[in-house]
Amino acid sequence: MQRTVYTVLNDWANTAVPLIARRSSKIRASLWSSRDYSVIPTPRDRTEKEMLDRMLRVDHAGEYGANRIYAGQMAVLSRSTSGTLIQEMWDQEKKHLEKFNEILAESRVRPTALLPLWNVAGYLLGASTAMLGKEVAMACTVAVEESISEHYNSQMRTLMEEDPDRYTELLKVIKEFRDDEMEHHDIGLQHDAESVPGFWLLKNVIQLGCKAAIYASQRV
């Protein structure tokens, strides 16, 4: 009996313990990797923290608003010929928002207090333009995505002037998202956005609203 117990314990030690150790090692490695990685460097002083907080807050708000716009468009056009295309663009925006949610949590940056307003305003803008036709919805997309792209470009210039090596990871994220927004902008143009009567007036009005939203989200 003692020999049997000894054999079982010895076999368990030779098989289970190494397996548990390997799994524990993998878990520790995974946890270390996730903790060690950061898109945002630790701020050197209060001035840098305030700059980064403003950037992250407004980027998060912009992606949140874009998501609500596409949600409004899909509520109206989901069964139209443009439904699949709008859904694809929306899916990319969801990934953008998810990433900024992670960055804000990691960097302990609060989102703008105006999110409830952007929730309603974004949805109404998306739904109302979609109700006027898929071309008007695309015109809205062109206007919004152009504004977001220009804002991302402005942020990239600021970070490059400050210290490109210090902000390498953040620059990668912003550039990737900027390229996605420009792709959406070009898709809108390819799908007859400019054919809408009064396109330039509509575009300017929407972009004026975007600029006001950017200004407010940075500060509130």
Side-chain angles (χ1 to χ4, degrees), residues 41-55 153-168 170-171 174:
T42 302
R44 291 173 290 198
D45 52 38
R46 183 174 180 179
T47 300
E48 184 182 23
K49 177 168 175 52
E50 290 177 350
M51 177 192 75
L52 292 172
D53 285 3
R54 286 196 303 270
M55 282 188 174
N153 283 334
S154 176
Q155 286 190 342
M156 289 172 66
R157 285 192 294 270
T158 298
L159 295 174
M160 290 292 289
E161 291 170 0
E162 287 285 334
D163 189 343
D165 292 332
R166 180 168 173 76
Y167 303 114
T168 299
L170 180 56
L171 282 165
I174 293 176

Side-chain angles (χ1 to χ4, degrees), residues 49 53 57 102-110:
K49 177 168 175 52
D53 285 3
R57 187 173 295 119
E102 292 175 1
I103 295 174
L104 257 64
E106 180 186 61
S107 304
R108 297 182 179 181
V109 177
R110 67 165 181 81

Side-chain angles (χ1 to χ4, degrees), residues 74-87:
M74 282 300 292
V76 177
L77 297 173
S78 60
R79 297 184 180 181
S80 72
T81 56
S82 301
T84 300
L85 184 60
I86 294 172
Q87 183 65 57

Side-chain angles (χ1 to χ4, degrees), residues 72-187:
Q73 290 182 349
M74 282 300 292
V76 177
L77 297 173
S78 60
R79 297 184 180 181
S80 72
T81 56
S82 301
T84 300
L85 184 60
I86 294 172
Q87 183 65 57
E88 290 174 357
M89 293 190 287
W90 187 16
D91 288 342
Q92 281 188 311
E93 299 294 350
K94 289 178 182 177
K95 292 179 181 178
H96 296 180
L97 180 58
E98 181 180 357
K99 184 61 178 177
F100 275 115
N101 280 333
E102 292 175 1
I103 295 174
L104 257 64
E106 180 186 61
S107 304
R108 297 182 179 181
V109 177
R110 67 165 181 81
T112 174
L114 298 174
L115 284 186
L117 176 59
W118 305 150
N119 176 26
V120 176
Y123 188 89
L124 288 177
L125 177 60
S128 61
T129 52
M131 289 171 67
L132 296 174
K134 60 183 181 65
E135 292 82 8
V136 182
M138 289 297 173
C140 174
T141 294
V142 168
V144 171
E145 301 292 25
E146 185 173 282
S147 292
I148 295 176
S149 298
E150 289 176 354
H151 182 70
Y152 277 148
N153 283 334
S154 176
Q155 286 190 342
M156 289 172 66
R157 285 192 294 270
T158 298
L159 295 174
M160 290 292 289
E161 291 170 0
E162 287 285 334
D163 189 343
D165 292 332
R166 180 168 173 76
Y167 303 114
T168 299
E169 296 302 322
L170 180 56
L171 282 165
K172 286 180 182 177
V173 171
I174 293 176
K175 182 181 183 301
E176 178 186 343
F177 292 178
R178 187 279 313 272
D179 291 347
D180 288 343
E181 310 299 359
M182 282 307 302
E183 181 183 5
H184 299 170
H185 168 274
D186 294 344
I187 287 171

